[in-house]
Amino acid sequence: MTTPAPAPTPGPSPSRVLICDDQELIRMGLRMVLDSQPDLTVVGEAADGDAAIAGAAALAPDLVLMDVRMPGLDGIAATEHLCAQPHAPRILVVTTFDLDEYAYAALRAGANGFLVKDAPAEEILVTVRAVLRGEVMVAPSLTRRLVERFVLQPSTSASAQRGRLAALTDREREVLALVARGLANGEIADRLFVGETTVKTHLGRILTKLGLRDRIHAVIFAYESGLIRAGD
């Protein structure tokens, strides 16, 4: 009697993506790119923020690609709403470089990264997968430009923010300032003559001590607290 071959072990389920954009052609293009990959699947589309919120509740996506300028509820308000929910999906904002004010507002609302609308397919996939892994995908050059334009002066709570800086060691302040200037971990390691793992350890402690969510919010804090100023 022939023993049947064991059934193949199923691979991990593809990550679920919801696309929110008021332009149908943009949605179609993103769907074609994402659905061509075995590890990604588009589970729904939405044309405005309200539909994105409803779709996220019904479909439980792992990631939402969120446009910012849409009729009705915009992507910033929708991002803020989704990020406040338990088990919130990751949010990747679909933007253009001439809409920096929306990009900055989306950061404050909890977005996990940015995707430029006319990005090539390969860049889209790299960015999507990185955000799904838990990374924050914003180029250092864009981070600096956003912050320099919209955090030119310390905020009204700057004194309170400066008080929080007291929790950091001198080396941690140094690392935070270099992060805010747009340096990657490897560049910071070279500048300080330490290992990249040491830089990651310092950054993790900075986030914990200051109660910050990620690297991007650390950059914003550095400017708002007055640790560094635009043009430094």
Side-chain angles (χ1 to χ4, degrees):
M1 180 176 179
T2 302
T3 303
T9 303
S13 299
S15 297
R16 299 163 60 82
V17 182
L18 173 66
I19 300 172
C20 179
D21 196 293
D22 64 332
Q23 299 181 49
E24 185 177 3
L25 288 177
I26 296 293
R27 298 199 305 269
M28 289 176 58
L30 289 171
R31 178 183 278 274
M32 288 178 61
V33 170
L34 299 176
D35 275 344
S36 69
Q37 304 299 303
D39 60 327
L40 302 169
T41 183
V42 175
V43 294
E45 297 181 14
D48 58 43
D50 286 319
I53 291 171
L59 301 169
D62 302 299
L63 173 70
V64 178
L65 297 186
M66 183 74 77
D67 191 15
V68 285
R69 295 183 66 177
M70 295 179 290
L73 190 71
D74 65 31
I76 296 166
T79 294
E80 187 171 15
H81 178 92
L82 290 174
C83 290
Q85 304 305 306
H87 312 295
R90 305 287 288 177
I91 307 290
L92 180 57
V93 171
V94 182
T95 186
T96 54
F97 284 128
D98 62 336
L99 296 178
D100 286 348
E101 65 271 24
Y102 294 97
Y104 179 74
L107 274 178
R108 300 306 303 268
N112 304 106
F114 294 94
L115 179 65
V116 181
K117 282 192 175 183
D118 59 356
E122 183 177 354
E123 183 178 333
I124 292 172
L125 294 172
V126 167
T127 303
V128 164
R129 289 180 174 125
V131 169
L132 282 166
R133 288 196 302 269
E135 299 178 27
V136 177
M137 291 299 291
V138 182
S141 60
L142 178 56
T143 301
R144 183 177 178 86
R145 195 158 64 91
L146 287 170
V147 175
E148 286 187 348
R149 183 172 175 188
F150 297 102
V151 195
L152 294 178
Q153 300 295 330
S155 68
T156 55
S157 60
S159 59
Q161 302 285 47
R162 283 193 293 271
R164 293 169 64 191
L165 283 172
L168 304 182
T169 65
D170 290 343
R171 178 46 63 94
E172 287 167 351
R173 287 192 187 201
E174 193 173 8
V175 169
L176 177 57
L178 293 174
V179 168
R181 292 187 175 98
L183 274 67
N185 288 348
E187 295 172 315
I188 296 172
D190 291 341
R191 180 76 65 88
L192 300 180
F193 303 103
V194 298
E196 190 169 347
T197 301
T198 300
V199 174
K200 291 179 181 177
T201 300
H202 283 311
L203 183 56
R205 289 173 178 166
I206 290 166
L207 297 179
T208 298
K209 288 181 178 181
L210 297 178
L212 301 173
R213 192 171 65 105
D214 52 41
R215 188 187 193 96
I216 300 303
H217 286 80
V219 173
I220 293 171
F221 174 87
Y223 278 87
E224 291 188 337
S225 67
L227 177 64
I228 66 171
R229 301 290 183 90
D232 282 356

